[in-house]
Amino acid sequence: VAPSTPVCEVPSSAVTGTVVQMSCKETEGSPPSEYQWYKNGVALLEKTGTGSARAANITYTMNKKSGTLLFNTITKNDTGEYFCEASNGIGLSQKCSVKRMQV
């Protein structure tokens, strides 16, 4: 079954230095969907190891299975427009509407 349009939880504002978690979920896809987060239209990289993540200055953890995007210490650089895409290899992938977060 192709995924339905996911529901994205993105805070509209956040305070620098706080922990922020965004979530993305859809319930109809079978097999279960994987989730990809985007910031300002660019796919966010999945943190694969400390070395590459440090090099890319990645300040978040993205879980493609659960759809969560977690910022341990959010910074002004994380301000932007976020959306997520659900896909399971069947039918078209589905995106939620873009939501802006101001840090």
Side-chain angles (χ1 to χ4, degrees):
V1 179
S4 56
T5 302
V7 175
C8 296
E9 301 282 333
V10 176
S12 56
S13 63
V15 178
T16 305
T18 58
V19 174
V20 172
Q21 179 168 311
M22 303 180 187
S23 65
C24 178
K25 197 79 191 143
E26 69 82 27
T27 51
E28 289 176 27
S30 180
S33 290
E34 287 210 342
Y35 302 97
Q36 170 68 51
W37 280 94
Y38 293 79
K39 176 188 171 188
N40 300 332
V42 179
L44 292 175
L45 297 168
E46 196 166 15
K47 200 170 183 172
T48 49
T50 48
S52 58
R54 261 198 212 105
N57 202 15
I58 292 177
T59 57
Y60 58 81
T61 307
M62 179 171 58
N63 186 322
K64 292 193 168 187
K65 297 270 187 245
S66 67
T68 56
L69 182 62
L70 177 70
F71 294 88
N72 285 322
T73 315
I74 204 143
T75 68
K76 285 200 181 336
N77 292 340
D78 297 316
T79 294
E81 295 185 336
Y82 290 84
F83 71 88
C84 119
E85 181 179 63
S87 58
N88 66 354
I90 297 168
L92 294 171
S93 58
Q94 297 287 336
K95 300 176 174 132
C96 65
S97 54
V98 176
K99 298 189 178 175
R100 181 164 179 80
M101 179 179 70
Q102 181 71 43
V103 181

